[in-house]
Amino acid sequence: MAGIVRKSFDSADETRPFKDEKGRLDLLIGDGGSVGRAVFEPGWKWSEHVGPIAGTPSCQASHVGYVVSGRMHVVMDDGETAEFGAGDYMEVKPGHDAWVLGDEPCVALDWNGFTNYALPPSS
């Protein structure tokens, strides 16, 4: 086992495209867990571009991450809302929708919720 591991999102272990080419998830998998970098293009909305892939009415992932660039609006199933932008740490529990604000892609890193994100339900 190596004492040091170096990986790059530019050659991710796995890439999952979102519907209608509205972005992608790049995933790095390591012994300590996975970290994902999502690029959400302008016009991206979870319920339109990931929801049909996941097969759930709202996002059921729990996110712990950091917004690198852009802005995103999140609405919980109970109506609570928040906006996240570049430099923000975020925690978002399961049961939400989200969409990009403005005309700049939103890029986010996530150490918790992207491992099973944008995957079809297992049969």
Side-chain angles (χ1 to χ4, degrees), residues 67-80:
V67 179
V68 176
S69 61
R71 297 196 60 74
M72 182 172 289
H73 185 82
V74 178
V75 178
M76 301 300 295
D77 289 348
D78 68 4
E80 180 182 4

Side-chain angles (χ1 to χ4, degrees), residues 80-117:
E80 180 182 4
T81 67
E83 287 186 14
F84 297 98
D88 286 344
Y89 167 82
M90 64 178 186
E91 287 187 36
V92 180
K93 301 294 182 196
H96 58 273
D97 196 0
W99 53 88
V100 171
L101 296 171
D103 55 8
E104 176 186 356
C106 181
V107 177
L109 302 176
D110 189 322
W111 285 267
N112 193 52
F114 280 166
T115 301
N116 296 314
Y117 192 81

Side-chain angles (χ1 to χ4, degrees), residues 13-90:
D13 294 321
E14 186 175 344
T15 296
R16 300 176 193 157
F18 302 146
K19 228 179 139 209
D20 302 326
E21 299 181 8
K22 286 295 185 181
R24 71 183 185 283
L25 168 65
D26 298 316
L27 195 63
L28 299 177
I29 303 165
D31 290 341
S34 299
V35 61
R37 175 186 69 181
V39 178
F40 305 101
E41 296 293 340
W44 175 89
K45 187 173 185 178
W46 186 91
S47 54
E48 296 174 15
H49 301 104
V50 178
I53 298 167
T56 58
S58 61
C59 181
Q60 296 304 304
S62 178
H63 302 287
V64 176
Y66 175 81
V67 179
V68 176
S69 61
R71 297 196 60 74
M72 182 172 289
H73 185 82
V74 178
V75 178
M76 301 300 295
D77 289 348
D78 68 4
E80 180 182 4
T81 67
E83 287 186 14
F84 297 98
D88 286 344
Y89 167 82
M90 64 178 186

